[in-house]
């Protein structure tokens, strides 16, 4: 059979980075982009500009495609069911994706499965939150990402804003225990419709203002027991929820009531994930390639690491309006480190915006960290004032 | 400054494989493709369909671009000079590229530089060939590639066809000694306009019917002396000829008159080369990325190998018309070898046509060879009749 076409909904950097392995695999992509010239539309010729909330647009983009996958989790569930009825394979399918879209349903389902989670409850009023106990974390059940739709609340007064936002958006509020975690981890697996699953090494992630900032693969000093527990959770959740493609499970490493280390599930994402960008240069098969293979039900590639350590640091727009374009960062960053791997998203620098990332790898973790941090800071302009 | 645009002339697989690192570097490409839907046009949105022999088309494509580079070496020299006069950086420039376009000029220049070459002479008649001596190799000075425009001649009768072809094409004939070589090698370097140069490990290449078939990196058992000699030749030629971008020097390993091993230059190519495809998975920086960096005068990436051995085997269309599309090869090839790296060019299978390649890497050369050969044969359909 001639190569089937895969539709991708959403024109962000995740779709952009799917384009690279799609070129290698000879797999044609058809993109639905939010606007002309967005990150993935710059690099995928066969694209349509339109609104992913409009069913007619979705039907048009997926017409003739073997499968459809996603750059984000925001396509309405009813549209996903409508697409399935046309015969296109929706991957991940709506019955799985809903658990990445709705944190309330996710907590309920993980609870049923006995997967360790922070204590949590759906709360309808400020009084419910008081009953749940302060301090705690309130989250809108739908629509949040990168720290948006998440509040740490320590008093009834703190809890008012979340309920206003939720009422406005027509979503519920989930209360979660504020976990006193030692660090954050991420376990990524790829799963195909036929059930084949590949688990990447568990990584340590550092957040800054609710946005993934730095990833070390594998997580330093993680015991085999905890690493195995994290991978088992990710594999089990992928299987039980029927996930196809990449599943990222963000976890807290914390102590249980007996003072023993444990992992607790924080969030789920059913798409290539920021905590897996290290795989582009650090694993035999990147998460983007394995996502494509999985959603096309092709055999998965090895998730094994290629080096002792790989470090990923995000490039975020800084607050200095004088900093120019990312391209200006190349002469110094590339000359300083001929082994540096740079991944830019075709976006202009704006404060707090993810515009790219760098990967470094090697045998010396401190060296990898120093190289990646320096380069990311340089691109973002955070070193400019010091060095000039 | 905002990222400059790089024009690429020619829509083949080399341009296609430049697209992947261009995505990572955030470097916009503008392609001139021979026809709609060709290999690179499938994956580079900003493309024009037109004839690279037409100056107006070239001017239109390069308008507003910072630099222009090439998928092939066939753009007429006078057009390259005309492009330079518009202010666009032509890389490699016409004064360098002419030595990859014209084998007669190449031999003359390498002779002046004292670079070791097979004995050679421009021949105007069959009598000249007789005087040069049989057996020998006759080559058209321009327009040949992948074994086309090359004849091994053993008699005056053999020499008639080459002269007919050359007269028809308006090119000269170069006679070269038929080297009794031990094996063929390739030395690839990237060189930037500012003179920075990075040399990849010297590889062993095996040709089949004049087409590169298999590459082993690094060349097994190559002495440090010969490896150094080959790299020195490539670096010297790149510098003396003012090459920008990738220079591939194809070499013969042979014995000199005293029975000592030596390397002799066979061919030059000034673009990413089939003998460098292993770098996509086997080197820190691929030849495609270093080509982009070099032509944009950005610092070059490390050419160091990532593994002990990397093997590349080309996928060539076979003679069996029953063999379907390359996509049919995935279920077996990927399941058999989860570490296999596949690179397809978006081309239909036709007898003898390069449609993709596979890379394998590891510590065991025999294992790498077996895996790559099996996969390439499977994709081409050469194993289909046996196994079914």
């Amino acid at each position: 059979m001639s190569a089937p076409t895969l539709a991708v909904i959403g024109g962000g950097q995740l779709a952009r980075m799917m384009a690279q392995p799609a070129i290698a695999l000879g797999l044609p992509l058809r993109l639905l982009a939010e606007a002309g010239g967005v990150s993935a539309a710059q690099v995928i010729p066969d694209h349509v500009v339109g609104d992913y909330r409009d069913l007619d647009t979705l039907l048009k983009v997926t017409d003739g495609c073997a499968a459809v996958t996603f750059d984000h989790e925001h396509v309405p569930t009813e549209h996903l069911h409508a697409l399935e009825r046309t015969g296109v394979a929706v991957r991940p399918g709506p019955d799985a994706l809903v658990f990445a879209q709705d944190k309330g349903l996710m907590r309920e389902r993980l609870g049923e499965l006995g997967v360790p989670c922070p204590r949590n409850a759906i709360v309808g009023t400020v009084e419910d939150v008081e009953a749940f106990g302060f301090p705690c974390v309130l989250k809108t059940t739908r629509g949040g990402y990168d720290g948006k739709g998440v509040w740490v609340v320590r008093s009834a007064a703190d809890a008012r804003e979340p309920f206003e936002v939720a009422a406005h958006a027509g979503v519920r509020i989930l209360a979660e225990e504020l976990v006193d975690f030692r660090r954050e981890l991420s376990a990524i697996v790829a799963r195909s419709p036929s059930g084949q699953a590949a688990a990447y090494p568990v990584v340590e992630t550092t957040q800054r203002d609710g946005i993934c900032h730095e990833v070390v693969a594998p997580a330093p000093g993680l015991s085999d027991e905890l690493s195995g527990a994290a991978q088992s959770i990710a594999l089990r959740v992928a299987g039980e929820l029927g996930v196809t493609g990449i599943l990222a499970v963000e976890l807290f490493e914390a102590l249980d009531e007996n003072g023993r280390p444990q992992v607790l599930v924080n969030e789920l994402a059913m798409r290539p994930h920021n905590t897996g960008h290290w795989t582009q240069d650090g694993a035999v098969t990147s998460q983007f390639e394995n996502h494509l293979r999985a959603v096309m039900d092709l055999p998965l590639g090895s998730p094994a690491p290629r080096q002792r350590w790989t470090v990923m640091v995000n490039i975020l727009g800084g607050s200095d309006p004088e900093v120019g374009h990312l391209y200006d960062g190349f002469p110094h960053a590339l000359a300083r480190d001929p082994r540096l791997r740079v991944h830019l998203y075709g976006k202009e620098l704006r404060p707090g915006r993810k515009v790219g990332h760098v990967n470094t790898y090697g045998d010396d973790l401190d060296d990898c960290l120093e190289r990646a941090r320096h380069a990311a800071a340089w691109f973002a302009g955070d070193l400019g004032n010091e060095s000039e």
Side-chain angles (χ1 to χ4, degrees), chain A:
Chain A
M1 109 178 139
S2 141
T5 299
L6 173 64
V8 182
I9 308 302
Q13 64 264 26
L14 301 179
R16 179 185 178 97
M17 292 186 278
M18 290 180 206
Q20 291 158 309
I23 292 172
L25 295 172
L27 181 69
L29 299 183
R30 181 178 304 154
L31 180 73
L32 176 61
E34 298 77 18
V38 295
S39 183
Q42 294 167 20
V43 302
I44 299 177
D46 184 8
H47 68 259
V48 172
V49 173
D51 188 339
Y52 61 82
R53 294 165 298 191
D54 177 59
L55 180 58
D56 285 343
T57 301
L58 293 171
L59 290 169
K60 184 178 153 202
V61 170
T62 57
D63 183 42
C65 291
V68 55
T69 193
F70 308 95
D71 171 80
H72 57 68
E73 289 140 343
H74 306 321
V75 178
T77 304
E78 63 270 24
H79 290 357
L80 300 177
H81 283 294
L83 290 178
E84 279 197 326
R85 287 192 292 272
T86 70
V88 65
V90 178
R91 289 174 179 167
D95 296 337
L97 197 60
V98 71
F99 297 108
Q101 294 174 315
D102 189 308
K103 295 179 174 55
L105 297 180
M106 181 267 283
R107 285 298 179 211
E108 190 183 351
R109 187 83 178 92
L110 295 188
E112 288 166 9
L113 293 174
V115 170
C117 292
R119 188 170 64 85
N120 64 86
I122 293 288
V123 286
T125 62
V126 174
E127 291 69 38
D128 288 348
V129 184
E130 288 187 303
F132 185 84
F134 296 109
C136 68
V137 181
L138 298 187
K139 297 177 175 179
T140 54
T141 50
R142 284 181 173 254
Y145 66 96
D146 277 356
K148 294 183 179 65
V150 177
W151 298 262
V152 175
V153 298
R154 299 177 190 281
S155 69
D158 287 352
R160 266 179 223 124
E161 185 193 343
F163 281 102
E164 280 164 22
V165 170
H168 185 72
V171 299
R172 300 185 296 169
I173 288 283
L174 176 73
E176 293 184 348
E177 166 193 4
L178 183 64
V179 176
D180 181 24
F181 59 83
R182 186 180 158 241
R183 60 177 171 176
E184 292 187 76
L185 304 172
S186 175
I188 288 183
V189 297
R191 184 177 177 275
S192 63
S194 56
Q196 193 195 352
Y200 286 93
V202 178
V203 302
E204 176 175 335
T205 84
T206 311
Q207 315 285 316
R208 210 184 258 182
D209 301 327
I211 300 179
C212 172
H213 171 62
E214 194 171 285
V215 169
V216 177
L222 187 66
S223 68
D224 288 350
E225 189 185 343
L226 276 195
S227 168
Q231 289 188 320
S232 293
I233 288 170
L235 288 166
R236 175 135 186 265
V237 169
E240 294 281 358
L241 270 45
V243 177
T244 48
I246 292 288
L247 169 72
V249 181
E250 294 183 89
L251 301 142
F252 297 120
E253 182 182 338
L255 300 182
D256 68 13
E257 59 268 33
N258 302 316
R260 291 173 37 136
Q262 64 172 347
V263 287
L264 301 171
V265 172
N266 181 18
E267 305 274 359
L268 302 184
M270 295 183 194
R271 49 170 173 74
H273 192 253
N274 202 159
T275 59
H277 290 357
W278 69 275
T279 62
Q280 291 177 302
D281 300 296
V284 173
T285 315
S286 80
Q287 65 163 349
F288 298 100
E289 179 164 338
N290 262 341
H291 186 74
L292 297 180
R293 292 196 194 192
V295 301
M296 300 308 291
D297 205 8
L298 294 172
L300 301 177
S302 166
R306 290 193 67 173
Q307 311 286 146
R308 177 77 185 91
W309 298 108
T310 305
V311 169
M312 191 252 16
V313 179
N314 273 343
I315 304 172
L316 270 79
S319 54
D320 184 350
E322 294 298 307
V323 171
H325 194 277
L326 289 168
Y327 196 83
D328 296 330
F330 279 133
H332 165 69
L334 301 184
R336 182 183 196 261
D337 183 0
R339 300 177 75 91
L340 184 72
R341 309 301 304 145
V342 181
H343 301 268
L344 302 184
Y345 306 157
K347 296 180 172 184
E348 295 297 316
L349 276 166
R350 272 191 231 144
R353 189 188 207 192
K354 288 182 190 172
V355 292
H357 65 273
V358 295
N359 286 332
T360 56
Y361 54 78
D363 291 330
D364 182 334
L365 178 56
D366 287 340
D367 178 64
C368 291
L369 284 166
E370 192 280 332
R371 289 158 54 210
R373 287 170 180 167
H374 177 94
W378 178 259
F379 276 110
D382 293 348
L383 296 175
N385 294 330
E386 293 168 46
S387 63
E388 275 169 6

